[in-house]
Amino acid sequence: MRLKTLLITVAALAVLSAIAFFVRRPAPPPSADPRLNQPLVDQSTIEKAAKLRLSDAGKSITLTRQSDGTWRVADYHDFPADFQKLSSFVGNLTDAKLQRLVTSNPDRIARLEFKDTKIELLDASDRPLWSITLGKHAETGGGRFVRFGDEQKAFLANLSAWLDTTAKNWADSTLVRLKPEDIAKIELGAPTDLAFTRDTKDAAWTSSQTPESKIPDSARLSSLLTSLTGLRFSDTVDLDDPKLAEAKPHSRTIKLTTFDNKTLTLTFARKPEEKKPKPAATGESPDTAEKSDASSEETKSAEPEFETIPAGPVFVSLSHSDSAAPINELSAKRAFQIYDYTYTSLPQKPEDLFTNAPPPPTSETKPE
């Protein structure tokens, strides 16, 4: 009986030990997040997005995809977006990867400085397809802390993208969609009043106004075409802007005609520098007036003082003979301000565009 009792006791203890093991065994480690070591956003999500919204420090900008696949800056007069800048930004997102899960602890998440810095991909109805909030940069090893949507998880990603929330900076500043080799004719209005033509892109320029012993300066004309076809705006203003109104009376026009007989007209305008006499001083004290009377002879012979009012900003308006050209639509919305050097480098007099003709070849006399 003692043996039987002992066996029963051992069996009971074994059952209790098994129960204790299962109750007290450590929980299995959580499975790794499947997004780790994967791109921050996959290409398919980007392809579905109708809008890209960037937010930071209380500012936000939205870029919208058009039916033809191009993008526009909704917050900057619906101007076309800078494709290179957008491609670079999207490339940063797809190149970045989640390196590790940092924490799911709300207190630790709060210390990672997640505020209003967000990147969102939206559908046409503004529903988010993908969204992350950016926290502070990691102090060691680089990278940045990120959160997906409202998840209570903070990750570290090797993301280096800078969120530019200035809408104008996302607009494509290109004004001319031509190449120098496209141009068959250049017509310059006052102060030069000249026209140059060529039969092919490799042919020499000719002009019916070429002075004797001169030829068109091909290097100067090439430089002029490079400057004009590379024209970009630095800013835009309302069409009724007072500075634009001041500039318009001081304009000059250049026309570029392509080999397929389309014409782009560029009109540059700038209010010139002014020199004005300084107003006479008023409200002199008696002592000052007495000194002024004493030196009246000197004052009479002195030259009047002038103040210089700097030249105004440079504006350009553009008009294309093809009514469907995008520049016509943009010109109807805004006036374009350009960098000063483009305007100041324009030829100022006819002789700037000609150079000396090479001497005629001489025939060598053969010895007898």
Side-chain angles (χ1 to χ4, degrees):
M1 290 295 294
R2 289 181 180 179
L3 179 58
K4 185 176 180 181
T5 302
L6 181 61
L7 291 174
I8 293 173
T9 302
V10 170
L13 290 174
V15 171
L16 291 173
S17 296
I19 293 172
F21 172 78
F22 282 103
V23 170
R24 300 174 61 183
R25 68 175 178 173
S31 59
D33 193 295
R35 294 170 293 190
L36 291 179
N37 299 315
Q38 297 299 313
L40 197 58
V41 58
D42 60 86
Q43 190 65 38
S44 62
T45 302
I46 293 173
E47 292 171 356
K48 293 174 186 175
K51 298 180 182 181
L52 167 66
R53 180 180 295 155
L54 308 178
S55 306
D56 185 39
K59 295 173 61 180
S60 70
I61 64 110
T62 301
L63 278 64
T64 59
R65 191 198 299 267
Q66 307 303 297
S67 58
D68 60 358
T70 61
W71 290 77
R72 288 186 175 249
V73 187
D75 303 296
Y76 196 74
H77 316 289
D78 215 28
F79 267 41
D82 185 328
F83 178 77
Q84 293 298 328
K85 181 167 183 168
L86 178 59
S87 295
S88 177
F89 182 81
V90 171
N92 283 335
L93 294 181
T94 55
D95 289 343
K97 292 185 178 181
L98 289 184
Q99 296 175 307
R100 62 184 175 89
L101 172 64
V102 177
T103 184
S104 299
N105 185 305
D107 293 333
R108 288 193 62 195
I109 290 176
R111 293 196 293 270
L112 298 180
E113 299 180 9
F114 291 105
K115 298 178 182 177
D116 65 344
T117 305
K118 299 180 71 173
I119 306 172
E120 299 171 277
L121 293 173
L122 314 168
D123 65 13
S125 302
D126 283 348
R127 288 191 297 265
L129 302 173
W130 176 89
S131 170
I132 61 167
T133 303
L134 305 185
K136 66 180 182 179
H137 293 272
E139 295 178 0
T140 57
R144 193 158 186 180
F145 300 111
V146 302
R147 287 178 61 191
F148 289 95
D150 297 325
E151 289 184 20
Q152 288 301 307
K153 290 182 179 181
F155 296 88
L156 179 65
N158 59 339
L159 177 65
S160 60
W162 173 58
L163 270 63
D164 186 351
T165 53
T166 300
K168 185 190 75 172
N169 295 346
W170 284 94
D172 186 354
S173 60
T174 304
L175 291 174
V176 179
R177 304 288 178 180
L178 298 173
K179 297 178 181 178
E181 57 266 29
D182 296 333
I183 308 304
K185 185 176 183 180
I186 310 171
E187 298 173 85
L188 300 100
T192 49
D193 286 317
L194 293 169
F196 297 87
T197 60
R198 60 182 176 180
D199 295 330
T200 67
K201 67 177 184 178
D202 297 318
W205 289 99
T206 62
S207 174
S208 62
Q209 298 154 288
T210 303
E212 187 176 355
S213 301
K214 299 284 186 178
I215 59 172
D217 190 334
S218 59
R220 183 72 178 87
L221 289 170
S222 176
S223 176
L224 174 63
L225 277 183
T226 298
S227 177
L228 295 176
T229 55
L231 202 61
R232 291 176 171 271
F233 69 76
S234 59
D235 204 352
T236 69
V237 300
D238 290 333
L239 296 176
D240 58 356
D241 188 279
K243 291 183 179 180
L244 176 62
E246 290 178 340
K248 280 184 174 180
H250 313 279
S251 61
R252 61 179 302 182
T253 298
I254 298 177
K255 292 183 179 181
L256 304 178
T257 302
T258 61
F259 285 105
D260 58 357
N261 206 33
K262 294 179 181 178
T263 300
L264 177 68
T265 302
L266 305 96
T267 302
F268 299 87
R270 186 184 204 184
K271 180 178 177 290
E273 177 183 279
E274 289 184 84
K275 290 186 180 294
K276 289 186 176 181
K278 286 186 177 180
T282 57
E284 295 179 333
S285 65
D287 290 342
T288 305
E290 185 176 337
K291 290 179 182 178
S292 179
D293 291 340
S295 58
S296 58
E297 293 301 320
E298 295 181 22
T299 304
K300 288 179 182 178
S301 60
E303 291 288 334
E305 291 188 47
F306 286 86
E307 62 177 338
T308 300
I309 301 174
V314 181
F315 296 97
V316 63
S317 62
L318 301 97
S319 175
H320 200 287
S321 60
D322 181 355
S323 60
I327 191 61
N328 292 331
E329 175 195 351
L330 300 181
S331 295
K333 294 180 178 180
R334 304 285 287 174
F336 305 107
Q337 185 176 330
I338 62 172
Y339 297 102
D340 292 1
Y341 66 81
T342 304
Y343 179 77
T344 56
S345 65
L346 294 177
Q348 299 300 312
K349 49 188 185 298
E351 47 266 40
D352 290 343
L353 292 166
F354 295 98
T355 188
N356 293 327
T362 57
S363 59
E364 294 183 358
T365 304
K366 294 183 179 181
E368 296 181 1

